Structures are given as C-alpha cells and as structure tokens.
Amino acid sequence: MRHLLIYDMIEAVHSSGSIRKAAEDTNITASALNRRIQGFEEEFGSEIFERLPRGMRLNPAGELLLHHIRLQRQDLARVHGQVADLSGIRRGHVKIACSQALLPYFLPREISKYRAEFPDVTFTVNVRDRIQAERDLVSFDSDLALVFEPAHMVDFEVLHAVHQPVMAVMSAAHPLARQESLRLRDCLEYDLVLPASQFGVRVLLEQASARLGRKLEPVLETDSFDMVRHFAAYGQGIGFQIPVGLNALARPDMAFMPIAHRDVSGGELYLGHLRGRTLPVAALKFATQVVTALSVQGNA
Amino acid sequence: MRHLLIYDMIEAVHSSGSIRKAAEDTNITASALNRRIQGFEEEFGSEIFERLPRGMRLNPAGELLLHHIRLQRQDLARVHGQVADLSGIRRGHVKIACSQALLPYFLPREISKYRAEFPDVTFTVNVRDRIQAERDLVSFDSDLALVFEPAHMVDFEVLHAVHQPVMAVMSAAHPLARQESLRLRDCLEYDLVLPASQFGVRVLLEQASARLGRKLEPVLETDSFDMVRHFAAYGQGIGFQIPVGLNALARPDMAFMPIAHRDVSGGELYLGHLRGRTLPVAALKFATQVVTALSVQGNA
DNA sequence: CAAAGCGGTGCAAAAAATGCATCGCTACGC
DNA sequence: GCGTAGCGATGCATTTTTTGCACCGCTTTG
C-alpha cells in the first residue's frame, strides 16, 4: 500500500526514536524521511513529534494518530481477509497430476508453503505418466498437471515451461563423481539404473545413446524414481533424474552431475491445465506460486 | 490529506459511476484517474470495480473497501477533533439523522444550547425515516441517529432510550379537549389526521385499533408532521404525535393529551450511533447533552 | 572543548504522476 | 442496421513530486 507508506514511516520513527535510524529501516535517506514527516505534519494540521536533542518522540497528538494508524491497519487487514474469502482463495481444493520426479522435494515444499498462507486449502496429488496426466485433465480429475516432456499436448494449455537437463545420480564415492563434467559415453561404462520406458528421462537417454551407436543395458530398470536414487546411493551404478527431483543439500553422500548438453539436451518440465478451462481460484493461485518457484529454480 | 486522495477518487468514481465524470469532480484527467484506480487495484491485490460498457461499478470487494474508507475517514476526523481538543480549540462537526418529530422543538433547542457553549461546532441535520437513519449511520453520513421505534437495529448501538406515549393533538376547542383522559375508541369517532404508514406512530395506532376490531380511516394522511399539527390546529380533527415533537407552552390554542396506556402503549425514542464506532468528540459530547435532555423530559 | 549525533535545508537528479491524443469496445438512437 | 456517443485503456512527452547528497546549526557527552 504505497499510499500508506507515510504511516510506516511514522511508526518507524516512533519505534526507533530518531529519523536517521528510521531512515535505515525504511531504506530511504534521512532527509527524505524528514521531509515526509514534515509534510505530513503540515497536512495533518499539527506536529506529531517532539523534536528532542537526541531524537524524536511522539507528542500527545502523535499518540492519538498512532492509535488511529494501528486501528486503520487492522481494519484494512480485515477487509483484505474478507476479500480473500469472497474470492475463494482461502478455501478450496487443488488436484494435481504430476510426474514422479516432483514427489520427493518440489511438491511437498510448494504445497506446505502454500498451506502456510492458506491452511484451509487442501490438495490431491496423483502420480501420472505423461499420457495419463493429460487424460486426467480432460476428465477433470486434475486441475493442474506438472509433467516432464508431455506426450501430445492437444488438450494441454501450458502455463509455464522450464528446461531440465538430465542429471546423473551416483554415490559420492563413485569414480565419476570427481570429474568436472560428465559425458554420456563415460556413464555407459558403468552399471546403469534406468526408469522404465514410459518415462521422459528414459526416452531422452535412449535417443542419445542411439546417436552414439550404443544401446542402453541397465542392470536395474524400475518405475520407481525412489528406487533409482537409493540403488545409486549404495554405490551400485549410475541413475538418472531431472534437477527438480533432486535436492543436493539433503544428500551429501551423493553426487548429482548434469550430463553434457551436447550428449543429452534435456527436456522441458511443463505446468499446465486443460485447454480453455478457467481454473478455480485456489488452483490458479497455487499455479502462480509454482511458476515462481520453477523460475527461481531455473535461474539458480 | 494528500496520501488519502486515492480514497476520494474511489468514492468519486463510485458515486458518479464513471471515471470520466469522476475526473471532472476531482479536477484531474480521466487517464490519470484511470491509472490511479488501476494502480490501487494492483496494490490492493484485487479489482474493486466492475468495468461495464457504461461505466464502473463497485464489486463486492469494492463495497467492503468502501466501508473501510468511510470508517477510516471518520476515525481520522475523530482524531482531528481530539487533537483540536488538546490544543484547547473546541471545533468539530456533528451529523445527525433524526425522525421528523425532533425537528420543530427538540433538536433546535438542543443544538442552540450546545452551540452557546461551543460556537465553533457546526451541525448537519437530516430527516430520515427509521430505515434510512440506520443506513446513514452505516455509510457514515451521520454520526448520531435519533429515531422513534427503529426498524431492525442491527448496526444500531443504543446510547439512550426514552419511552414516548402517543399523544392526541387537537384544537383546544375540540370536544375531546375537555376530557380528563382519552381512550383510543373516542378518537376514532372523529376525523383523523395520520402520518403515513412508514412512521412509528402510525404503526402503533394501526396495531392498537386492530385490537379494537377497528380500522383507521384517516381524512388526511401525510408524511409531514407539521401538516398533522396544523390541520389539527384548525379544528379539523385529531392528529397524533409523540411528546418530544410537541411543545405545550408554545401553543395555548391546542390540546395535547396522551392516549390511555392500555389502548396504545407508546414506543421508544432511541439515540444511538453505528455499532462499534468511536464517535468524534463533538458528536459524543452533544450526545451526552441529548441524553440528559431526554431524561429530564421523560421525568417531567 | 572537541566529537558525535541530531533535525533541517538548498540544489540537482531521479522517479512518479499527469495531460493529450487516440485506440477498441459496447450500447443506444435514428 | 448502422452511425454515434460514451466508456475504459494506453503510449508518449511533459510536468510535478520525491529523493539523495552535501552541508548547516544545534545540543549533548566524554
């Protein structure tokens, strides 16, 4: 609320006791703040601060005004709350179809962040592959889909896309973990743990290795990304995953390294909904948050 | 208050119904006003106006905000008043919504008595029926309401209530004027001058005569209490009024007699303000004086 | 008695608000 | 059915306001 900034300033001066200190909190110069205060006092019709040699103190008029400011803020917050209520942001249910990669870190984090602000919004998260996810949108079983390299996208309206390179996942003790960069052909010399063939990462890897004239021969093929990570963690070979499914901080015993872009270019993670559909408020707002989170992660 | 200008603009757009008209009132260009509104909506976090082909209308969020704006303004006015008090100046403005009965004697007397002590306090008096009066409080168009038998009283916080019997009003020469006490059925034998059906006195009389199995058939029905009194003064029938609207001393040519309590029990005259509101100093002080005056009259 | 901290102010630069011209749209009158 | 009038929105040049910087005078403090 830009037009209420002066109130913040008054409170800052009040609580810090001097214009100079308050100026730091407010991120403006003392002179600017000083003139804002003076300007306000002129409009208001009376001084609200006593000028002491050591700083500023509210005078009785200022005390009265401060009370008004607080009352006013509180009432504005109430209005905001009521507006939020009637726009439906506060309550609601969001149904999400997503790739497995989103399950361990990304979605739990985003959902709990969202629910910290709107505790009355509930969620359904269904794991779906790239084809099923779109089907879920069409049948209205999901509001949002968050999938890696979706299959046809006829009914899929993209809200946001973010590029995801393919990461090799291995034990920190693995010979390749010490290398600067990682080529696909190096990986092929070791035991591979691959997701099943319906997954986007697998498709990308198959294409890339075909270009090398090689064939992928996994020691373990699974439809559980958890399995991939854990098997790799035991030092048993190399797994693959996209960044959004990994959390470097959480696993110091593991190494996550991007495969050289010229070998495997990676793919796109798409957030979208059913084409032409107007989303419920809660779903739309959550989608906005997810877009922000994906952008930040993409830049980091 | 320059920083609250945006509120004026919002109200201007609300009351004129279009940005272009409001722009004239505000002495600003339509484009500038348009962008102020848009900017505010962005800060506020939601639209507050519906854009119609013919102009702008507040949406529900806007209605909520409008109420906040009015509350906020009034509270600021109260603070101003209190600050003025601090500096020893007794200034201020009191806005009153009242029933017609208060106009001829009661309010003029009380207001001039108050202004004898505080000549810098000014007044606005609006005649409102029982429903409109409450509406005025809600919209902050009035500080105080003084009404007979208010309708619902949801937002009405009572400061004082005083009982008012229903009085018959007639020429001193009227046959009934010589009686000791007056029964309703006696009145019904004569020509009746009645206030219109939205008035409390009329409602009470209708209920009472229904209990007698009679129907009121006025020869004159009017929404002017002055008309009632003057018509009765000419000897043309019996009018009705509550004591606060009468002044026995002023009209020796007329007779005012209470209807027997068992026939018409009378009603309550309420002084009140908007529920939960802190009144400006001047209004509060005037209210105190009115409470005193009503108590005295009630006892006399 | 010097140093540190305070609010206040002149002036140039930066930022915001405004006015003007104009667009696209919809309802209304002929 | 079509033109017109009224509406909100917007790009751009201009004006107004706000801000930052440097510095003043003052009072307290060690």
Side-chain angles (χ1 to χ4, degrees):
Chain A
M1 298 282 93
R2 267 182 47 81
H3 69 289
L4 297 180
L5 260 183
I6 184 63
Y7 289 168
D8 295 338
M9 296 175 178
I10 291 170
E11 287 207 280
V13 172
H14 165 61
S15 61
S16 70
S18 93
I19 286 188
R20 293 177 119 95
K21 283 179 198 147
E24 292 176 17
D25 307 341
T26 326
N27 293 320
I28 59 169
T29 328
S31 74
L33 179 53
N34 179 34
R35 270 176 298 221
R36 294 282 294 237
I37 299 288
Q38 287 180 125
F40 180 84
E41 287 178 326
E42 181 153 351
E43 293 195 313
F44 184 67
S46 89
E47 297 204 336
I48 58 172
F49 284 102
E50 295 177 53
R51 271 70 171 174
L52 305 175
R54 308 294 311 243
M56 313 270 277
R57 182 164 52 189
L58 284 174
N59 65 15
E63 300 278 0
L64 287 167
L65 178 67
L66 181 64
H67 184 260
H68 164 78
I69 289 175
R70 289 176 171 160
L71 181 73
Q72 188 279 141
R73 273 236 188 72
Q74 185 182 323
D75 195 62
L76 188 60
R78 175 190 62 79
V79 171
H80 262 130
Q82 289 185 355
V83 168
D85 275 348
L86 58 84
S87 68
I89 289 176
R90 293 223 161 169
R91 299 180 173 283
H93 187 79
V94 185
K95 292 173 293 184
I96 306 168
C98 69
S99 297
Q100 247 184 85
L102 284 304
L103 294 182
Y105 305 111
F106 185 81
L107 271 185
R109 183 173 62 231
E110 293 306 317
I111 290 176
S112 63
K113 193 202 297 177
Y114 190 85
R115 281 181 41 82
E117 194 175 356
F118 305 112
D120 290 333
V121 174
T122 54
F123 286 81
T124 298
V125 177
N126 287 313
V127 185
R128 295 286 185 267
D129 67 32
R130 314 173 291 156
I131 294 144
Q132 290 168 330
E134 193 169 338
R135 216 172 282 153
D136 262 34
L137 292 183
V138 173
S139 64
F140 288 90
D141 287 328
S142 293
D143 304 310
L144 295 170
L146 195 45
V147 287
F148 186 60
E149 290 290 295
H152 41 2
M153 314 210 354
V154 186
D155 294 317
F156 192 93
E157 185 165 329
V158 175
L159 285 168
H160 190 72
V162 59
H163 185 76
Q164 295 276 296
V166 174
M167 309 284 286
V169 176
M170 63 198 81
S171 159
H174 195 280
L176 289 181
R178 288 186 299 272
Q179 288 194 208
E180 289 281 317
S181 69
L182 199 57
R183 300 299 302 263
L184 177 59
R185 63 173 172 287
D186 300 330
C187 301
L188 298 185
E189 304 305 318
Y190 295 87
D191 290 345
L192 300 182
V193 196
L194 297 182
S197 60
Q198 72 266 31
F199 295 110
V201 169
R202 176 65 176 271
V203 172
L204 294 173
L205 287 172
E206 292 283 358
Q207 291 169 351
S209 51
R211 275 196 299 275
L212 291 181
R214 303 279 296 269
K215 199 171 179 316
L216 290 176
E217 286 166 352
V219 299
L220 172 60
E221 176 175 307
T222 172
D223 60 358
S224 158
F225 286 14
D226 259 351
M227 189 66 173
V228 172
R229 280 183 300 133
H230 288 129
F231 191 77
Y234 281 111
Q236 302 292 322
I238 304 177
F240 299 89
Q241 179 56 291
I242 51 177
V244 79
L246 301 172
N247 184 347
L249 305 176
R251 300 295 299 257
D253 59 327
M254 297 190 69
F256 308 136
M257 311 171 66
I259 311 280
H261 186 268
R262 58 198 143 168
D263 293 340
V264 185
S265 63
E268 301 294 318
L269 178 69
Y270 288 94
L271 172 68
H273 60 79
L274 182 63
R275 190 172 295 285
R277 178 166 173 209
T278 306
L279 286 179
V281 202
L284 186 61
K285 189 151 180 80
F286 180 70
T288 313
Q289 179 189 305
V290 168
V291 168
T292 310
L294 287 176
S295 307
V296 169
Q297 162 160 345
N299 298 336
Chain B
M1 297 283 94
R2 271 177 45 84
H3 69 288
L4 296 180
L5 259 183
I6 184 63
Y7 289 168
D8 296 338
M9 295 175 178
I10 291 171
E11 286 208 281
V13 172
H14 165 61
S15 61
S16 70
S18 94
I19 286 187
R20 293 177 118 96
K21 283 179 198 146
E24 293 176 15
D25 307 341
T26 325
N27 292 320
I28 199 184
T29 325
S31 73
L33 178 53
N34 180 34
R35 270 177 295 222
R36 294 281 293 237
I37 298 288
Q38 286 181 122
F40 181 85
E41 286 178 327
E42 182 152 350
E43 290 194 319
F44 184 67
S46 92
E47 296 205 336
I48 59 171
F49 284 102
E50 292 178 56
R51 271 71 172 175
L52 306 175
R54 310 291 304 196
M56 311 270 277
R57 182 164 51 189
L58 284 175
N59 66 15
E63 300 278 358
L64 286 167
L65 179 69
L66 181 63
H67 186 262
H68 163 79
I69 289 175
R70 288 172 172 165
L71 178 72
Q72 187 279 140
R73 266 230 196 79
Q74 287 303 313
D75 195 62
L76 189 60
R78 177 189 59 82
V79 171
H80 264 129
Q82 290 183 349
V83 169
D85 265 12
L86 287 177
S87 52
I89 310 161
R90 297 282 178 158
R91 286 191 279 111
H93 187 79
V94 185
K95 292 175 291 187
I96 306 168
C98 69
S99 297
Q100 247 185 85
L102 283 306
L103 293 181
Y105 306 111
F106 185 82
L107 271 185
R109 184 171 63 230
E110 294 304 320
I111 288 176
S112 63
K113 194 202 298 177
Y114 189 86
R115 281 181 41 83
E117 194 176 354
F118 305 112
D120 290 333
V121 174
T122 54
F123 287 79
T124 299
V125 177
N126 287 314
V127 184
R128 295 286 184 265
D129 67 33
R130 314 174 290 156
I131 294 147
Q132 290 168 331
E134 193 168 337
R135 215 171 282 154
D136 262 35
L137 292 183
V138 172
S139 64
F140 291 94
D141 288 328
S142 293
D143 303 310
L144 296 170
L146 196 45
V147 286
F148 186 59
E149 290 290 294
H152 38 8
M153 314 214 348
V154 185
D155 295 316
F156 192 94
E157 185 164 329
V158 176
L159 285 168
H160 190 71
V162 60
H163 185 77
Q164 294 277 296
V166 174
M167 310 284 286
V169 175
M170 62 197 79
S171 159
H174 195 280
L176 289 181
R178 288 184 300 272
Q179 288 193 209
E180 287 282 317
S181 70
L182 198 57
R183 300 299 303 265
L184 178 58
R185 65 175 167 308
D186 299 331
C187 301
L188 298 184
E189 303 306 318
Y190 294 87
D191 290 345
L192 300 182
V193 197
L194 297 182
S197 59
Q198 73 264 32
F199 294 109
V201 168
R202 175 65 176 270
V203 173
L204 294 174
L205 287 172
E206 291 284 357
Q207 289 168 353
S209 53
R211 276 197 298 275
L212 291 180
R214 303 280 297 269
K215 199 170 178 318
L216 290 175
E217 285 165 354
V219 299
L220 172 61
E221 177 175 306
T222 174
D223 59 0
S224 158
F225 286 14
D226 258 352
M227 189 67 175
V228 171
R229 281 182 300 132
H230 289 128
F231 193 79
Y234 282 110
Q236 303 290 323
I238 304 178
F240 299 90
Q241 179 56 292
I242 52 178
V244 80
L246 301 171
N247 185 348
L249 306 174
R251 300 294 300 255
D253 58 327
M254 298 191 68
F256 309 136
M257 311 172 66
I259 310 283
H261 185 268
R262 58 198 142 167
D263 291 342
V264 185
S265 62
E268 302 294 319
L269 178 70
Y270 288 93
L271 173 67
H273 59 79
L274 182 62
R275 190 173 295 285
R277 179 166 170 210
T278 307
L279 285 178
V281 225
L284 187 60
K285 199 162 175 65
F286 180 70
T288 313
Q289 178 190 304
V290 168
V291 168
T292 310
L294 287 175
S295 308
V296 169
Q297 163 161 342
N299 298 337

Coordinates of all heavy atoms in Angstrom, one line a residue, chain B residues 45-96:
Chain B
G45 N -4.5 -5.8 -4.5 CA -4.5 -7.2 -4.7 C -5.7 -7.8 -5.4 O -5.8 -9.0 -5.6
S46 N -6.7 -6.9 -5.6 CA -7.9 -7.4 -6.4 C -8.6 -6.2 -7.0 O -8.5 -5.1 -6.5 CB -8.8 -8.2 -5.5 OG -9.8 -7.4 -4.9
E47 N -9.3 -6.5 -8.0 CA -10.1 -5.4 -8.6 C -11.2 -5.0 -7.6 O -11.7 -5.8 -6.8 CB -10.8 -5.9 -9.9 CG -9.7 -6.2 -11.0 CD -10.3 -6.1 -12.4 OE1 -11.6 -6.2 -12.5 OE2 -9.6 -5.9 -13.3
I48 N -11.5 -3.7 -7.7 CA -12.6 -3.2 -6.8 C -13.7 -2.7 -7.6 O -14.8 -2.4 -7.1 CB -12.1 -2.2 -5.8 CG1 -11.5 -1.0 -6.6 CG2 -11.0 -2.7 -4.9 CD1 -11.2 0.2 -5.7
F49 N -13.5 -2.5 -8.9 CA -14.6 -2.1 -9.8 C -14.9 -3.1 -10.9 O -14.0 -3.8 -11.3 CB -14.2 -0.8 -10.5 CG -14.3 0.4 -9.6 CD1 -13.2 1.0 -9.0 CD2 -15.5 1.0 -9.3 CE1 -13.3 2.1 -8.2 CE2 -15.6 2.1 -8.4 CZ -14.5 2.7 -7.9
E50 N -16.2 -3.2 -11.2 CA -16.5 -3.9 -12.4 C -16.5 -2.9 -13.6 O -17.1 -1.8 -13.5 CB -18.0 -4.5 -12.3 CG -18.2 -5.5 -11.3 CD -19.7 -5.9 -11.3 OE1 -20.2 -6.3 -12.3 OE2 -20.3 -5.8 -10.2
R51 N -15.9 -3.3 -14.7 CA -15.9 -2.5 -15.8 C -17.1 -2.8 -16.7 O -17.1 -3.9 -17.3 CB -14.6 -2.7 -16.7 CG -13.5 -1.8 -16.3 CD -12.9 -2.2 -15.0 NE -11.6 -1.4 -14.7 CZ -11.0 -1.5 -13.5 NH1 -11.5 -2.2 -12.5 NH2 -9.9 -0.8 -13.4
L52 N -18.0 -1.9 -16.7 CA -19.2 -2.1 -17.6 C -19.1 -1.3 -18.8 O -18.4 -0.3 -18.8 CB -20.5 -1.8 -16.8 CG -20.6 -2.5 -15.4 CD1 -21.8 -1.9 -14.7 CD2 -20.7 -4.0 -15.6
P53 N -19.8 -1.6 -19.8 CA -19.8 -0.8 -21.1 C -20.1 0.7 -20.8 O -19.6 1.6 -21.4 CB -20.8 -1.4 -22.0 CG -21.1 -2.7 -21.4 CD -20.7 -2.7 -20.0
R54 N -21.0 0.9 -19.8 CA -21.4 2.3 -19.5 C -20.7 2.9 -18.3 O -21.1 4.0 -17.9 CB -22.9 2.3 -19.2 CG -23.8 1.6 -20.3 CD -23.7 2.3 -21.5 NE -24.2 3.7 -21.4 CZ -24.5 4.5 -22.3 NH1 -24.4 4.1 -23.6 NH2 -24.9 5.7 -22.1
G55 N -19.7 2.2 -17.8 CA -19.0 2.8 -16.7 C -18.5 1.8 -15.7 O -18.2 0.7 -16.0
M56 N -18.3 2.3 -14.5 CA -17.7 1.5 -13.4 C -18.7 1.3 -12.3 O -19.4 2.2 -11.9 CB -16.5 2.2 -12.8 CG -15.5 2.7 -13.8 SD -14.3 1.6 -14.3 CE -13.1 1.8 -12.9
R57 N -18.7 0.1 -11.7 CA -19.5 -0.2 -10.6 C -18.6 -1.0 -9.6 O -17.9 -1.8 -10.0 CB -20.7 -1.0 -10.9 CG -21.6 -1.2 -9.7 CD -23.0 -1.7 -10.1 NE -23.0 -2.8 -11.0 CZ -24.0 -3.2 -11.7 NH1 -25.2 -2.7 -11.5 NH2 -23.9 -4.2 -12.5
L58 N -18.8 -0.7 -8.3 CA -18.0 -1.4 -7.3 C -18.4 -2.9 -7.3 O -19.6 -3.2 -7.3 CB -18.3 -0.8 -5.9 CG -17.6 0.5 -5.5 CD1 -18.1 1.0 -4.2 CD2 -16.1 0.4 -5.5
N59 N -17.5 -3.7 -7.2 CA -17.8 -5.1 -7.0 C -17.8 -5.4 -5.5 O -17.6 -4.5 -4.7 CB -16.7 -6.0 -7.7 CG -15.3 -5.9 -7.1 OD1 -15.2 -5.4 -6.0 ND2 -14.3 -6.3 -7.9
P60 N -18.1 -6.6 -5.1 CA -18.2 -6.9 -3.6 C -17.0 -6.5 -2.8 O -17.1 -5.9 -1.8 CB -18.4 -8.4 -3.6 CG -19.1 -8.7 -4.8 CD -18.5 -7.8 -5.9
A61 N -15.8 -6.8 -3.4 CA -14.6 -6.4 -2.7 C -14.5 -4.8 -2.6 O -14.1 -4.3 -1.5 CB -13.3 -6.8 -3.5
G62 N -15.0 -4.2 -3.6 CA -15.0 -2.7 -3.6 C -16.0 -2.2 -2.5 O -15.7 -1.2 -1.8
E63 N -17.1 -2.9 -2.3 CA -18.0 -2.5 -1.3 C -17.4 -2.6 0.1 O -17.5 -1.7 0.9 CB -19.3 -3.4 -1.3 CG -20.1 -3.4 -2.6 CD -21.0 -2.2 -2.7 OE1 -21.1 -1.4 -1.8 OE2 -21.7 -2.0 -3.8
L64 N -16.7 -3.7 0.3 CA -16.0 -3.8 1.6 C -15.0 -2.7 1.8 O -14.9 -2.1 2.9 CB -15.3 -5.2 1.6 CG -16.2 -6.4 1.8 CD1 -15.5 -7.7 1.5 CD2 -16.8 -6.5 3.2
L65 N -14.3 -2.5 0.7 CA -13.3 -1.4 0.8 C -13.9 -0.1 1.1 O -13.4 0.7 1.9 CB -12.4 -1.4 -0.5 CG -11.4 -0.3 -0.5 CD1 -10.3 -0.6 0.5 CD2 -10.8 -0.1 -1.9
L66 N -15.0 0.2 0.4 CA -15.6 1.5 0.6 C -16.0 1.7 2.1 O -15.9 2.8 2.6 CB -16.9 1.6 -0.3 CG -17.7 2.9 -0.2 CD1 -16.8 4.0 -0.7 CD2 -19.0 2.8 -1.0
H67 N -16.5 0.7 2.7 CA -16.9 0.8 4.1 C -15.6 1.1 4.9 O -15.7 1.9 5.8 CB -17.5 -0.5 4.6 CG -18.1 -0.4 6.0 ND1 -17.3 -0.8 7.0 CD2 -19.2 0.2 6.4 CE1 -18.0 -0.6 8.1 NE2 -19.2 0.0 7.8
H68 N -14.6 0.4 4.6 CA -13.3 0.7 5.3 C -12.9 2.2 5.1 O -12.5 2.8 6.1 CB -12.2 -0.2 4.8 CG -10.8 0.2 5.2 ND1 -10.3 0.0 6.5 CD2 -9.9 0.9 4.5 CE1 -9.1 0.6 6.5 NE2 -8.8 1.1 5.3
I69 N -13.0 2.6 3.9 CA -12.6 4.0 3.6 C -13.4 5.0 4.5 O -12.9 5.9 5.1 CB -12.8 4.3 2.1 CG1 -11.8 3.6 1.3 CG2 -12.7 5.8 1.8 CD1 -12.0 3.7 -0.2
R70 N -14.7 4.7 4.5 CA -15.6 5.6 5.3 C -15.2 5.6 6.8 O -15.2 6.6 7.5 CB -17.0 5.3 5.1 CG -17.4 5.7 3.7 CD -18.8 5.3 3.3 NE -19.3 5.8 2.1 CZ -20.3 5.4 1.4 NH1 -21.0 4.4 1.8 NH2 -20.7 6.0 0.3
L71 N -15.0 4.4 7.3 CA -14.7 4.2 8.7 C -13.4 4.9 9.0 O -13.3 5.7 10.0 CB -14.5 2.7 9.0 CG -14.1 2.4 10.4 CD1 -15.2 2.6 11.3 CD2 -13.6 0.9 10.5
Q72 N -12.4 4.7 8.1 CA -11.1 5.3 8.3 C -11.2 6.8 8.3 O -10.6 7.5 9.1 CB -10.3 4.8 7.1 CG -8.9 5.1 7.1 CD -8.6 6.5 6.6 OE1 -7.8 7.2 7.2 NE2 -9.3 6.9 5.6
R73 N -12.0 7.4 7.4 CA -12.1 8.8 7.3 C -12.7 9.4 8.6 O -12.3 10.4 9.1 CB -13.1 9.2 6.2 CG -12.4 9.5 4.9 CD -12.8 10.8 4.3 NE -12.3 10.8 3.0 CZ -12.9 10.1 2.0 NH1 -14.0 9.4 2.3 NH2 -12.4 10.0 0.9
Q74 N -13.8 8.7 9.0 CA -14.4 9.2 10.2 C -13.5 9.1 11.4 O -13.5 10.0 12.3 CB -15.7 8.4 10.5 CG -16.8 8.7 9.5 CD -17.1 10.2 9.5 OE1 -17.3 10.8 10.6 NE2 -17.2 10.8 8.4
D75 N -12.8 8.0 11.5 CA -11.9 7.9 12.6 C -10.8 8.9 12.6 O -10.4 9.5 13.6 CB -11.2 6.5 12.6 CG -10.6 6.2 14.0 OD1 -11.4 6.1 15.0 OD2 -9.4 6.0 14.0
L76 N -10.4 9.3 11.4 CA -9.4 10.3 11.2 C -10.0 11.6 11.7 O -9.3 12.4 12.4 CB -8.9 10.4 9.8 CG -7.7 11.3 9.6 CD1 -6.5 10.9 10.4 CD2 -7.3 11.4 8.1
A77 N -11.2 11.9 11.3 CA -11.9 13.1 11.8 C -12.0 13.1 13.3 O -11.8 14.2 13.9 CB -13.3 13.2 11.2
R78 N -12.2 12.0 13.9 CA -12.3 11.9 15.3 C -10.9 12.3 15.9 O -10.9 13.1 16.9 CB -12.7 10.5 15.8 CG -12.6 10.3 17.3 CD -12.8 8.8 17.6 NE -11.8 8.0 17.1 CZ -10.6 7.8 17.6 NH1 -10.3 8.5 18.7 NH2 -9.6 7.1 17.1
V79 N -9.9 11.7 15.3 CA -8.5 12.1 15.8 C -8.3 13.6 15.7 O -7.8 14.2 16.6 CB -7.5 11.3 15.1 CG1 -6.1 11.8 15.4 CG2 -7.6 9.8 15.4
H80 N -8.7 14.1 14.6 CA -8.5 15.5 14.4 C -9.2 16.3 15.5 O -8.7 17.3 16.0 CB -9.1 16.0 13.0 CG -8.0 16.0 12.0 ND1 -8.1 15.4 10.7 CD2 -6.8 16.7 11.9 CE1 -7.0 15.7 10.0 NE2 -6.2 16.4 10.7
G81 N -10.4 15.9 15.7 CA -11.2 16.5 16.8 C -10.5 16.5 18.1 O -10.4 17.5 18.8
Q82 N -10.0 15.3 18.4 CA -9.3 15.1 19.7 C -8.1 16.0 19.8 O -7.7 16.5 20.8 CB -9.0 13.7 20.0 CG -10.3 12.8 20.2 CD -10.0 11.4 20.6 OE1 -8.9 10.9 20.4 NE2 -11.0 10.7 21.0
V83 N -7.4 16.0 18.7 CA -6.2 16.9 18.6 C -6.6 18.3 18.8 O -5.9 19.1 19.6 CB -5.4 16.7 17.3 CG1 -4.3 17.7 17.2 CG2 -4.8 15.3 17.3
A84 N -7.6 18.7 18.2 CA -8.1 20.1 18.4 C -8.5 20.3 19.8 O -8.2 21.4 20.4 CB -9.3 20.4 17.5
D85 N -9.0 19.4 20.5 CA -9.3 19.5 21.9 C -8.1 19.7 22.7 O -8.1 20.5 23.6 CB -10.1 18.2 22.4 CG -11.6 18.4 22.3 OD1 -12.0 19.4 21.7 OD2 -12.3 17.6 22.9
L86 N -7.1 18.9 22.3 CA -5.8 19.0 23.1 C -5.3 20.5 23.1 O -4.8 21.0 24.0 CB -4.7 18.2 22.4 CG -4.8 16.7 22.6 CD1 -3.6 16.1 21.8 CD2 -4.7 16.3 24.1
S87 N -5.4 21.1 21.9 CA -4.9 22.4 21.7 C -5.9 23.4 22.2 O -5.7 24.6 22.1 CB -4.5 22.7 20.3 OG -5.6 22.4 19.4
G88 N -6.9 23.0 22.8 CA -7.9 23.9 23.5 C -8.9 24.5 22.6 O -9.8 25.2 23.0
I89 N -8.9 24.1 21.3 CA -9.9 24.6 20.4 C -11.1 23.6 20.4 O -10.9 22.5 20.1 CB -9.4 24.8 19.0 CG1 -8.0 25.5 19.0 CG2 -10.4 25.4 18.1 CD1 -7.2 25.3 17.8
R90 N -12.3 24.1 20.6 CA -13.4 23.3 20.5 C -14.1 23.4 19.2 O -15.0 24.2 19.0 CB -14.4 23.7 21.7 CG -13.8 23.5 23.0 CD -13.9 22.0 23.4 NE -13.3 21.8 24.7 CZ -13.5 20.7 25.4 NH1 -14.4 19.9 25.0 NH2 -12.9 20.6 26.6
R91 N -13.6 22.6 18.3 CA -14.2 22.7 17.0 C -14.8 21.3 16.6 O -14.6 20.4 17.3 CB -13.2 23.1 15.9 CG -12.9 24.6 16.0 CD -12.1 25.1 14.9 NE -10.6 24.7 15.0 CZ -10.0 23.8 14.3 NH1 -10.7 23.2 13.3 NH2 -8.7 23.6 14.4
G92 N -15.4 21.3 15.5 CA -16.0 20.0 15.1 C -17.3 20.1 14.3 O -17.8 21.2 14.2
H93 N -17.7 18.9 13.9 CA -19.0 18.9 13.1 C -19.8 17.7 13.5 O -19.2 16.6 13.7 CB -18.7 18.9 11.6 CG -19.9 19.1 10.8 ND1 -20.5 20.3 10.6 CD2 -20.7 18.2 10.1 CE1 -21.6 20.1 9.8 NE2 -21.7 18.8 9.5
V94 N -21.1 17.9 13.7 CA -21.9 16.7 14.2 C -23.0 16.5 13.2 O -23.7 17.5 12.8 CB -22.5 17.0 15.6 CG1 -23.3 15.8 16.0 CG2 -21.5 17.5 16.6
K95 N -23.1 15.3 12.7 CA -24.1 14.9 11.7 C -25.2 14.1 12.3 O -24.8 13.0 12.9 CB -23.4 14.2 10.5 CG -22.5 15.2 9.7 CD -21.8 14.4 8.6 CE -20.8 13.4 9.2 NZ -19.9 12.8 8.2
I96 N -26.4 14.5 12.2 CA -27.5 13.8 12.9 C -28.6 13.4 11.9 O -29.0 14.2 11.0 CB -28.2 14.7 13.9 CG1 -27.1 15.3 14.9 CG2 -29.3 14.0 14.7 CD1 -27.6 16.4 15.7

